[in-house]
Amino acid sequence: MVKRLIPALLALAAVLAWAGPAAAHGRSGEADVRFAQTIAGMEITVVVRASVAVPSPLQVDVVAHEPGPGGRLDLELRSIEDGGSSSGSVRIEADRPGMYPLVLAVDRVGPHELELRAGGERSVLPFAVLVPETPLWEVVVYAAFACAAVALIGALVGAALARRAVAAGFAGGFAVATVVAFTAGLLSPWFAPTVPEGAPPAPPPEQLLGRPNAQPVIEVLPGRPAPGTEFRLRVELFDGSTGRPADDLVEHHGALSHVVVTSQDGSYFRHVHPIRTGPGTYEVRLRTETAGRHRVYAEFERADAGGQLVSGEFTVAGAGTAAEEEDEARSGASGPAPVLQPARPVAGRPVRITLDAGTADLQPWLGMAGHLIVRSDDGGYLGHVHEAGSMAAENPPDESVARYGPMLEFTFSFPRPGRYLAWIQYARNYRIVTVPHVIEVAAEGSPR
Amino acid sequence: MTRRRVYLVLPLLLITAVVAWLLRGGGGSPGPVELTGRGAHYAVTLALEPSTGPLEARVEVEPASPAEVSLFAVMPHMGHTTPEIAARDDGAGRYVARGELFTMTGAWEIGIRVQGAAGTEVIRINTLVGRGEEETP
């Protein structure tokens, strides 16, 4: 009996092990999709909830962090395979940061575009609607247990009716089904994970070699904006190997691209999320009172590749006043300054930076309880550090969960000695709070 | 009779073993490991249990001249680093450090910083970190 079972089990194991290529760096079908966007003077995060089945209603939450002037936001979801679309809108109120839910409909899996329209601006965000696929081993386990249950009842009935052959047959079936169920269940950790339905085709893991570099063209329109006037900052990304637009960005810390703009002296600071106006083209409307040179950094991630940072600069004409901007850079911040340990950091050695936010009701923003952005004084280095406690969470909570704080802790090794400009950002009552700080970093072995 | 009993007892034993294995956490937390690393001036042997939560790490430095030893960890995949833990001198080139080195499971790189008469260097050792037992949820 057992000898007869072994080939069958081996065949089953072989079938289960051949479960198709693994989704390398692919999003799981169970995760929400997040797009932070700076559109029409608002800082929002559009959360597309994971779908369990398709066709189905699709829950979309617009989280308004900085509602700005508010206004109507139109959303349209389009399948780029059959053009089927669904649209809806929310009205964001000027003084009410928070969640604005709406329901769209999705009728197929695969590549989609989410179009956002507000205040004359239009952003098209590509993403894939995924539905988690039940792994084959799970189906086998459930089916085998169901067969075992039927066989057990059959065996009991056979025994009760004193039909020896029937009882023995069912008992044998019960044993076989149980063995199959346990074998499949126990071997499951070794099977390749299933690829969610609708995932883009991916090469096998051994052929994943990353992607070529992306190079930026960073410009402002008009070319030399005046202080206090609105201008457009455009980041275009081009592939370093083909020269084509690099239009394969994927969600990276809750946005397709994160753009940090700072004036040379650091008095002006913005962490924004440009809208995608065309293939590989990201734009954001800004306004600054600070004249002079400004540094631009764009952080993003191409599909099947790691994070990248590109930078550029622009100049604001004339001589503006920096005083007003300083207030803006310190938006909503009150309370103690961050505490460094050791108090006098040394280049190349980890330093712990702790900020007491004062309350324990902080919300995650871009997936983390806090973000620390560090710029060297000359602007040559830009670091982005995540809050240590929230990083370790396997299932990070939603934006609506206010349970972080009061202590936000970051660990970072400053690469070189010198002066660094730092900004800590976190979300409270949905609003983004920015705490600027200046850190002097000593050289190793210098007098303390 | 005895043969029948064998048929009954063997599956039961197997099921008990499986249940015990699953209750332990399907492989459980990794046991203590001894890792070695060598730099230009020093060779270190590091004994610790690579798991999240508070831990005790024992470092043996060769040559055993007096040195300042501290430990930190980096998770390159996540862009994560932890603060340095200073190790206490336990005599004869042995040092003990207590604290939290790993904040999550996965592949970590431990940096052992040795500052002594021969010079200062950071020796790097890679390890795989499992879930600690006393970790609070």
Side-chain angles (χ1 to χ4, degrees):
Chain A
M1 178 74 179
V2 173
K3 271 185 191 166
R4 243 182 278 162
L5 263 177
I6 289 169
L9 284 174
L10 285 178
L12 177 75
V15 166
L16 291 174
W18 180 73
H25 211 173
R27 204 160 51 75
S28 85
E30 282 112 31
D32 299 340
V33 188
R34 276 183 168 71
F35 295 113
Q37 291 274 273
T38 309
I39 186 168
M42 303 183 278
E43 179 62 45
I44 58 172
T45 301
V46 179
V47 187
V48 181
R49 300 294 178 193
S51 21
V52 183
V54 162
S56 72
L58 186 72
Q59 179 76 39
V60 177
D61 287 317
V62 177
V63 188
H65 290 291
E66 294 296 341
R72 183 184 153 114
L73 176 74
D74 290 298
L75 294 96
E76 186 179 348
L77 180 74
R78 258 192 320 271
S79 163
I80 62 169
E81 283 175 345
D82 70 351
S85 73
S86 155
S87 56
S89 71
V90 289
R91 179 159 288 282
I92 292 169
E93 289 167 41
D95 295 319
R96 202 173 73 81
M99 286 266 195
Y100 292 85
L102 83 154
V103 178
L104 299 176
V106 60
D107 52 15
R108 63 181 297 158
V109 294
H112 279 69
E113 278 180 346
L114 180 68
E115 185 177 320
L116 308 179
R117 283 187 310 272
E121 290 189 277
R122 178 174 166 270
S123 180
V124 179
L125 306 164
F127 77 104
V129 172
L130 305 179
V131 170
E133 186 130 26
T134 315
L136 185 59
W137 65 264
E138 207 176 298
V139 178
V140 170
V141 168
Y142 283 123
F145 273 127
C147 291
V150 171
L152 186 62
I153 293 167
L156 289 173
V157 170
L161 298 176
R163 299 279 173 88
R164 208 186 158 118
V166 173
F170 274 117
F174 170 75
V176 170
T178 314
V179 168
V180 168
F182 272 102
T183 309
L186 286 174
L187 291 180
S188 63
W190 287 277
F191 298 145
T194 52
V195 181
E197 217 184 316
E206 64 274 14
Q207 284 175 22
L208 276 176
L209 305 169
R211 299 241 168 150
N213 63 67
Q215 291 170 39
V217 172
I218 295 178
E219 57 186 352
V220 288
L221 305 159
R224 207 175 157 86
T229 59
E230 191 178 74
F231 60 92
R232 264 189 301 156
L233 170 68
R234 181 187 289 164
V235 179
E236 281 178 279
L237 299 173
F238 295 98
D239 186 287
S241 288
T242 64
R244 305 262 317 137
D247 195 31
D248 50 0
L249 305 197
V250 291
E251 183 190 335
H252 176 72
H253 302 310
L256 289 182
S257 67
H258 301 259
V259 166
V260 170
V261 182
T262 61
S263 57
Q264 189 61 41
D265 64 354
S267 61
Y268 176 81
F269 169 85
R270 288 287 184 286
H271 171 186
V272 290
H273 304 97
I275 56 174
R276 179 175 169 273
T277 55
T281 307
Y282 296 85
E283 287 186 23
V284 62
R285 282 172 196 272
L286 293 170
R287 194 190 296 267
T288 169
E289 302 293 337
T290 322
R293 199 167 160 224
H294 285 65
R295 308 285 299 211
V296 180
Y297 306 86
E299 190 186 335
F300 55 87
E301 179 178 336
R302 301 184 72 177
D304 305 325
Q308 299 187 42
L309 183 97
V310 297
S311 61
E313 59 179 67
F314 65 89
T315 304
V316 174
T321 50
E324 194 184 327
E325 286 300 326
E326 255 170 41
D327 289 344
E328 228 176 303
R330 183 184 280 276
S331 63
S334 57
V339 175
L340 273 65
Q341 191 193 0
R344 193 168 149 79
V346 171
R349 296 183 66 175
V351 54
R352 187 198 301 234
I353 302 162
T354 312
L355 178 76
D356 184 356
T359 54
D361 58 352
L362 308 185
Q363 293 155 321
W365 182 47
L366 308 171
M368 301 287 162
H371 300 260
L372 165 69
I373 292 167
V374 178
R375 200 200 86 180
S376 61
D377 198 30
D378 63 357
Y381 176 86
L382 187 93
H384 181 175
V385 193
H386 289 136
E387 204 276 329
S390 56
M391 251 188 108
E394 275 166 23
N395 295 306
D398 190 57
E399 279 84 348
S400 61
V401 181
R403 63 145 212 220
Y404 286 125
M407 291 304 187
L408 296 175
E409 203 181 292
F410 304 88
T411 309
F412 183 67
S413 297
F414 290 91
R416 310 257 306 165
R419 186 168 176 262
Y420 286 84
L421 310 173
W423 296 269
I424 294 175
Q425 295 193 290
Y426 60 86
R428 179 163 187 247
N429 291 334
Y430 295 103
R431 280 200 192 270
I432 313 299
V433 179
T434 304
V435 182
H437 194 61
V438 177
I439 299 169
E440 293 289 344
V441 178
E444 176 80 77
S446 70
R448 301 199 172 201
Chain B
M1 186 65 197
T2 44
R3 224 176 127 181
R4 260 192 211 174
R5 196 171 287 171
V6 167
Y7 280 134
L8 194 70
V9 168
L10 276 183
L12 274 178
L13 277 178
L14 188 71
I15 289 169
T16 317
V18 166
V19 167
W21 182 71
L22 288 176
L23 283 181
R24 266 189 58 225
S29 67
V33 291
E34 201 171 271
L35 307 159
T36 53
R38 184 173 284 277
H41 307 301
Y42 308 100
V44 294
T45 308
L46 174 69
L48 83 172
E49 194 165 315
S51 59
T52 54
L55 55 80
E56 186 185 84
R58 295 181 168 275
V59 188
E60 210 177 315
V61 180
E62 250 181 79
S65 57
E68 256 181 59
V69 176
S70 59
L71 275 81
F72 64 95
V74 175
M75 193 179 200
H77 186 70
M78 295 289 286
H80 201 31
T81 179
T82 57
E84 280 185 24
I85 308 172
R88 183 172 50 80
D89 195 342
D90 211 20
R94 290 164 196 274
Y95 299 85
V96 184
R98 282 193 190 87
E100 193 177 349
L101 209 50
F102 313 111
T103 50
M104 60 192 290
T105 59
W108 284 80
E109 187 185 283
I110 306 169
I112 301 148
R113 200 186 132 86
V114 186
Q115 184 173 4
T120 302
E121 70 181 338
V122 176
I123 297 163
R124 292 169 196 286
I125 299 176
N126 292 309
T127 186
L128 209 56
V129 174
R131 191 167 295 284
E133 274 160 21
E134 65 264 69
E135 198 187 5
T136 48

